[in-house]
Amino acid sequence: MDDGVRGSGFGARQTANGVVEHAPQLERRAGDRHSRTPNTRHRTPLVGFWGLAWWRFARHRMAVVGLLVVAVLGAASALAPWVSPYDPDKPQLQLQLGAPSLVHPMGTDDLGRDLLTRIMYGGRISLSIGILAMALAVLLGTAVGALAGYYGGATDNLLMRFTDLMLSIPALFLLIILILLLRSFPVPFLRGGVLAIVLAIALLSWMTVARLVRASFLSLKEQVFVEAAKALGAGHGRIMVRHMLPNAASPIIVAATLRVANSIITESGLSFLGFGVQPPTPTWGNMLRNAQDQMITAPWTAIFPGLFIFVTVIAINYVGDGLRDALDPRHVR
């Protein structure tokens, strides 16, 4: 056998069972192993930062499901006048506290109004308050955090001590007082309730965003590109807005997403306590409040509004979790 192997020429080898393989066979086997080695299913695409972030987000299945749920809820709420044939405010006493059926899939309330219709219309208010309060809170928190992180020193100490003071005050107590004060102003659009709640929630929820932005700016202002911008004569405002803020966008986007969910919960809690949007304008919170007396006789009047709050908040939190994983530069998955 040794003579057979030596006589077979260059590139031959003997296997464990005594079979001699020659060079062409060895090349084919090596090629097969090489073609199976890379795991193409997890290969990272060669794209830019935002393309890579979207690729990572798309791999987070629960985040994608959450995004679809939020999109469906938003579309249904926005298109409520065209989706539902019922009037959300018109009483029909002959149908009061009707159980779920094919005509009324979620039943009716104590005034005979279709519950699904009121939930869709209430979603317009609850989601709008969440988005508007988030936008104002992120804008205010970004401004405070950017100034504190960029200038440092006395400016940083003053702004951060004020932030700590705001965090130390009981939020619900201060929120109720602030809403009552805003509604007492002789301004028509504040007396309506929605904008007063948006302003109150935003003024009491910017502190977390401010801390995140400050931490990012403290790190970014030591980078070479910031020093280069200063050397070229760029002003402080231009450096903060054009150079540093885009590099701090990742934590801001994640915080903004989670802020929407927190604002929806806050609005629902205020409406449940009677300090939110007042009836007959439907919101998920005041629908829960109105259902307190029917918890035993007609539990669906409380179950469905509460379920929509729960599903919406969970979906938004999953989206925020996916965005955090997608935008983290140290993320390895």
Side-chain angles (χ1 to χ4, degrees):
M1 180 60 68
D2 292 338
D3 294 336
V5 172
R6 284 195 298 271
S8 62
F10 231 42
R13 71 178 179 86
Q14 184 176 3
T15 62
N17 57 5
V19 178
V20 177
E21 291 184 340
H22 297 278
Q25 294 173 309
L26 294 176
E27 290 174 1
R28 283 196 300 270
R29 178 171 293 185
D32 292 341
R33 285 199 303 268
H34 180 71
S35 62
R36 292 195 302 265
T37 299
N39 191 350
T40 56
R41 189 167 62 91
H42 296 291
R43 184 178 295 171
T44 302
L46 298 177
V47 294
F49 173 77
W50 293 108
L52 181 59
W54 170 251
W55 178 79
R56 285 174 171 168
F57 181 84
R59 290 181 60 197
H60 197 301
R61 295 182 180 178
M62 295 306 299
V64 174
V65 172
L67 183 62
L68 292 176
V69 169
V70 173
V72 170
L73 290 175
S77 299
L79 301 175
W82 296 274
V83 173
S84 175
Y86 302 106
D87 189 330
D89 299 325
K90 183 179 179 180
Q92 292 181 311
L93 298 181
Q94 70 276 13
L95 300 175
Q96 62 181 348
L97 298 180
S101 62
L102 292 178
V103 180
H104 302 283
M106 295 185 182
T108 59
D109 63 5
D110 56 339
L111 295 178
R113 298 169 296 191
D114 181 68
L115 205 60
L116 177 58
T117 301
R118 288 183 61 79
I119 286 175
M120 287 192 293
Y121 276 88
R124 303 172 82 179
I125 304 297
S126 297
L127 292 175
S128 298
I129 289 176
I131 293 172
L132 291 175
M134 173 274 295
L136 290 177
V138 168
L139 184 64
L140 182 59
T142 300
V144 172
L147 291 173
Y150 181 79
Y151 288 105
T155 302
D156 183 22
N157 288 330
L158 178 63
L159 292 176
M160 286 300 103
R161 297 299 76 75
F162 178 69
T163 302
D164 294 338
L165 175 64
M166 294 295 294
L167 287 171
S168 65
I169 302 175
L172 183 60
F173 174 74
L174 189 58
L175 194 59
I176 293 173
I177 294 177
L178 189 56
I179 288 175
L180 295 177
L181 288 176
L182 290 173
R183 287 179 176 173
S184 66
F185 288 163
V187 182
F189 63 84
L190 288 178
R191 291 183 177 179
V194 174
L195 290 179
I197 293 173
V198 169
L199 288 175
I201 294 175
L203 291 174
L204 296 177
S205 59
W206 55 268
M207 291 80 73
T208 303
V209 180
R211 285 185 163 186
L212 289 173
V213 175
R214 172 184 176 268
S216 296
F217 270 59
L218 285 174
S219 175
L220 289 171
K221 73 177 183 179
E222 305 296 335
Q223 299 297 318
V224 176
F225 68 90
V226 175
E227 299 295 334
K230 290 180 180 179
L232 292 173
H236 296 303
R238 182 180 178 84
I239 292 175
M240 286 191 290
V241 175
R242 295 292 301 274
H243 298 283
M244 299 178 68
L245 189 58
N247 288 281
S250 297
I252 296 175
I253 292 173
V254 175
T257 305
L258 300 177
R259 191 71 258 156
V260 175
N262 292 335
S263 298
I264 291 175
I265 293 177
T266 303
E267 182 276 327
S268 300
L270 289 171
S271 296
F272 183 80
L273 294 174
F275 296 100
V277 179
Q278 300 300 311
T281 302
T283 68
W284 294 338
N286 65 27
M287 291 176 70
L288 278 176
R289 182 171 184 266
N290 295 336
Q292 290 181 88
D293 299 332
Q294 294 93 40
M295 289 291 294
I296 303 298
T297 58
W300 56 86
T301 59
I303 290 175
F304 288 114
L307 183 63
F308 270 77
I309 295 173
F310 174 77
V311 170
T312 302
V313 171
I314 290 294
I316 293 174
N317 283 336
Y318 271 123
V319 172
D321 185 58
L323 287 174
R324 183 181 62 245
D325 292 345
L327 298 175
D328 185 2
R330 297 174 298 275
H331 176 82
V332 178
R333 190 165 183 163

